[in-house]
Amino acid sequence: MKNIINIALLLFISYSSLGQDLDSIYVKFYKYSDALTTNKTIGKLDENVYSIAKQLNTLHPREFMNKSIELLKQDKFNEASFIYYLGSMRWKYFENFTKYTDNDNKLKQDINDVINTFLRSNVNNFSAIINASVKYHFANDYTFCTRKKNPLQYEESAAFYNRMSNQFIINQDYFRNMWSKERRDFENDLKK
């Protein structure tokens, strides 16, 4: 319940400048997610997201999180998720060489909660987005902190997410059922 309140607060603050109430934000999340299967757009990304990722490759990992927020505000949920997970891989790799501030860690955790609320509404989309992020990570060096510094850690920072995505597919029914219940509970909480 505490995570739900944190997610709601972050979304409310993020979207308040757009004049949207919290209920409508989650309705958008779920309508978009529900339409992925109907429209056969699971894992589909706007091609511009790769240009965005390329621009971010020279910046600190927190900028991936900030860009993810911007994309959420534009209702580009898959693209925001792709950038978030790519940024998470960059984050995981970069933390081998630095210590993050509490503010950085809070930002990442808040975005994590929001992105995962959206992604958990469709396990196939969740897996596809992570796979796209992993593929990009392997194919494109992080120039802000090049893989040459520690190639093994660079690979491992993405391998973790690759394993997670594989588990979503292997145990698809389990995750679908668990996340469907979570969604029903959340929607019931919004009605109160």
Side-chain angles (χ1 to χ4, degrees):
M1 183 56 84
K2 186 177 178 184
N3 278 344
I4 292 172
I5 292 168
N6 288 339
I7 295 166
L9 183 59
L10 179 67
L11 281 174
F12 179 74
I13 291 167
S14 295
Y15 280 88
S16 63
S17 63
L18 300 175
Q20 300 179 29
D21 64 43
L22 187 58
D23 291 351
S24 70
I25 294 164
Y26 280 99
V27 167
K28 278 186 182 183
F29 262 19
Y30 293 133
K31 280 185 179 179
Y32 182 91
S33 180
D34 292 344
L36 291 170
T37 303
T38 306
N39 298 335
K40 297 181 179 167
T41 55
I42 290 174
K44 181 105 170 113
L45 294 166
D46 183 314
E47 288 298 315
N48 290 335
V49 78
Y50 300 108
S51 297
I52 292 168
K54 186 175 181 178
Q55 291 168 355
L56 291 169
N57 269 341
T58 62
L59 303 174
H60 189 280
R62 92 173 62 81
E63 297 309 320
F64 287 81
M65 305 305 134
N66 290 329
K67 180 55 80 171
S68 187
I69 292 170
E70 286 179 34
L71 292 166
L72 283 170
K73 287 180 183 180
Q74 297 168 23
D75 297 336
K76 294 182 177 184
F77 304 123
N78 273 356
E79 290 75 15
S81 301
F82 170 84
I83 293 295
Y84 167 77
Y85 271 101
L86 178 60
S88 293
M89 290 171 219
R90 305 310 202 200
W91 191 285
K92 188 169 179 59
Y93 175 64
F94 187 57
E95 75 184 351
N96 290 295
F97 309 102
T98 191
K99 184 175 175 98
Y100 288 106
T101 67
D102 288 343
N103 286 341
D104 285 337
N105 287 322
K106 173 134 179 46
L107 171 67
K108 184 175 183 301
Q109 184 57 49
D110 288 344
I111 301 306
N112 178 72
D113 293 343
V114 173
I115 293 294
N116 286 333
T117 296
F118 163 68
L119 287 174
R120 284 191 302 260
S121 60
N122 187 311
V123 69
N124 293 322
N125 192 56
F126 201 156
S127 182
I129 295 299
I130 290 176
N131 289 340
S133 298
V134 167
K135 182 178 177 182
Y136 186 92
H137 178 79
F138 283 137
N140 299 275
D141 192 13
Y142 182 33
T143 55
F144 180 78
C145 185
T146 182
R147 78 175 82 198
K148 293 174 188 169
K149 284 186 170 188
N150 191 330
L152 184 61
Q153 287 296 327
Y154 190 87
E155 300 295 316
E156 181 54 34
S157 64
F160 167 80
Y161 294 102
N162 197 39
R163 290 188 300 271
M164 182 172 74
S165 174
N166 289 339
Q167 287 302 309
F168 292 158
I169 297 306
I170 292 167
N171 300 299
Q172 195 173 99
D173 290 337
Y174 169 79
F175 286 107
R176 185 178 291 118
N177 291 334
M178 179 175 64
W179 294 337
S180 290
K181 182 187 179 318
E182 181 182 284
R183 176 179 171 172
R184 282 191 307 275
D185 291 347
F186 188 79
E187 288 173 331
N188 288 335
D189 285 347
L190 283 178
K191 292 176 185 176
K192 292 179 184 177

